[in-house]
Amino acid sequence: MKKTVLSFTLAASVLALSACSGSGSDDEAIVTSKDGDITKSDFYKEMKDSVGEQAIQMMVIEKVLESKYDVSDKEVQAEYDDVKKQLGDNYDQYLASNGQTDAGFKKSIKLNKLQEAALTDGIKVSDEDVDKYLEEKNTELKASHILLDTEEKANEVKKKVDAGEDFAKLAKEYSTEEAAQETGGELGWFKKGDMVEEFWKGAAALKKGEVSGPVQSEHGFHIIKLEDKKTGDDKKPSKEERKKAADELKMEKADTSSLVDKVSKLVKDADVKVKDKELKSALDLFNQSQAAPADGEKAPADTETETDGEK
């Protein structure tokens, strides 16, 4: 499951911490034993000491985003069902390895979708953009590549390809990818999202049999040969599929680095106050992200932290 910038793997802990504020006395025992009870206040202190600041951040983020953006239970359930189907028999193991409960997992999904709503706020995509995106997602490519460390070396190898030398032999001789010694650079069939975006775009722009110039990615410089291309059926996408595609396309265009600033503004506008002095630094993340004022301008007021005795 993908995670956006501010999403923590603490949803289960947040649920537990927020449950402490429910009905009943703080001295009420929530666990009893012959060796002593655990009260609600004991539990709150333990949770606060272990995940308190991050949990507060997560809960505040959810509160302020919910006030501006709408994520329905239906949307959350749809993504939950999709991920659970993909994980299959590994679902329970996934929850256990991430220290989550079923309810906590759904809470993580909702928080991610709220953050995506904030990140894509104001981003527009046209019907033509969605059509092209869906066409790409419905396309499979088969390619080979030669991976080089430098653009200069990649250009040298490209000249050898253009001169008619065998692509697979060149991959075995020059590629920095270990697997190329066995495969000759063959990658088999892949879809959009299986490869880094730069590689996908470079391969998708080719015609069958064509070889690209150097394509740079985080892995180095690729010389790509498109072996084959195929598309799925021509079934018309549903309204839900088009909406999902539009959301994914908006996320591709979104600037993830802007999320902290967007949330920080919402926190400031909401006049959030932390009353527990031991958690007073929980909102530092948002205070620090406020832009520095220009010369002569008044600095923005920090989000207030209310300590004991303050009103």
Side-chain angles (χ1 to χ4, degrees):
M1 178 184 168
K2 62 182 182 296
K3 296 182 177 66
T4 43
V5 177
L6 293 178
S7 184
F8 305 103
T9 56
L10 291 170
S13 298
V14 170
L15 283 174
L17 189 61
S18 60
C20 297
S21 61
S23 60
S25 167
D26 287 347
D27 294 327
E28 175 187 343
I30 57 175
V31 176
T32 61
S33 76
K34 294 179 181 179
D35 297 322
D37 297 343
I38 299 175
T39 66
K40 183 179 290 187
S41 61
D42 293 334
F43 183 58
Y44 175 81
K45 186 177 187 310
E46 179 64 29
M47 295 300 296
K48 184 176 72 172
D49 290 344
S50 58
V51 297
E53 289 194 3
Q54 286 182 305
I56 287 292
Q57 289 170 356
M58 188 173 178
M59 294 169 76
V60 167
I61 291 167
E62 185 176 22
K63 286 284 186 185
V64 299
L65 290 179
E66 276 186 320
S67 71
K68 186 171 177 61
Y69 304 103
D70 184 30
V71 172
S72 68
D73 292 340
K74 183 179 178 181
E75 290 177 271
V76 173
Q77 186 67 41
E79 184 160 330
Y80 169 84
D81 291 341
D82 186 45
V83 175
K84 191 172 182 180
K85 181 179 179 181
Q86 290 178 39
L87 290 171
D89 294 338
N90 296 318
Y91 175 70
D92 290 336
Q93 182 181 349
Y94 172 83
L95 290 185
S97 64
N98 284 276
Q100 285 192 327
T101 63
D102 200 60
F105 180 49
K106 287 184 178 180
K107 197 171 184 71
S108 293
I109 291 174
K110 183 174 183 179
L111 182 60
N112 279 336
K113 296 190 81 65
L114 284 167
Q115 291 175 86
E116 288 173 6
L119 280 169
T120 58
D121 190 10
I123 296 178
K124 305 291 185 184
V125 294
S126 66
D127 288 340
E128 291 76 15
D129 291 334
V130 175
D131 289 339
K132 183 178 179 182
Y133 182 77
L134 284 169
E135 182 182 351
E136 283 190 327
K137 289 199 70 173
N138 198 35
T139 298
E140 286 188 79
L141 304 178
K142 185 179 182 182
S144 299
H145 79 138
I146 306 171
L147 182 62
L148 293 310
D149 288 332
T150 66
E151 186 173 14
E152 181 181 8
K153 192 67 177 178
N155 282 319
E156 289 178 17
V157 174
K158 177 62 163 58
K159 287 180 182 179
K160 292 179 182 291
V161 174
D162 291 342
E165 294 191 39
D166 184 76
F167 193 92
K169 288 183 179 179
L170 290 170
K172 290 180 178 181
E173 182 177 355
Y174 291 103
S175 184
T176 60
E177 185 181 49
E178 290 185 14
Q181 298 302 317
E182 300 292 331
T183 66
E186 290 185 10
L187 296 169
W189 291 97
F190 55 90
K191 295 182 178 181
K192 181 177 176 64
D194 292 341
M195 304 293 184
V196 292
E197 187 65 14
E198 297 88 351
F199 188 94
W200 169 264
K201 287 181 178 179
L206 299 172
K207 295 179 181 179
K208 184 177 177 179
E210 280 188 335
V211 178
S212 74
V215 173
Q216 186 176 8
S217 79
E218 62 193 75
H219 302 294
F221 293 86
H222 309 262
I223 304 298
I224 305 169
K225 180 180 180 181
L226 185 65
E227 308 284 358
D228 205 351
K229 179 186 292 189
K230 63 183 179 182
T231 57
D233 57 52
D234 295 327
K235 180 182 176 183
K236 185 177 180 180
S238 66
K239 183 178 179 180
E240 290 75 18
E241 288 171 330
R242 289 188 65 84
K243 181 183 183 304
K244 183 177 180 182
D247 290 342
E248 290 173 357
L249 189 53
K250 288 177 183 179
M251 275 301 296
E252 281 191 5
K253 296 184 176 186
D255 176 12
T256 56
S257 65
S258 69
L259 184 58
V260 173
D261 287 338
K262 286 187 175 184
V263 173
S264 297
K265 184 178 185 306
L266 292 174
V267 170
K268 182 175 181 294
D269 292 345
D271 192 25
V272 177
K273 298 178 177 65
V274 177
K275 295 186 177 182
D276 189 322
K277 65 181 180 181
E278 293 180 352
L279 296 172
K280 64 182 181 179
S281 60
L283 300 185
D284 285 353
L285 169 68
F286 308 119
N287 293 332
Q288 292 167 3
S289 72
Q290 297 297 319
D295 290 343
E297 289 185 357
K298 183 179 179 182
D302 286 345
T303 303
E304 183 179 351
T305 300
E306 191 174 291
T307 58
D308 288 353
E310 293 181 346
K311 298 290 185 180

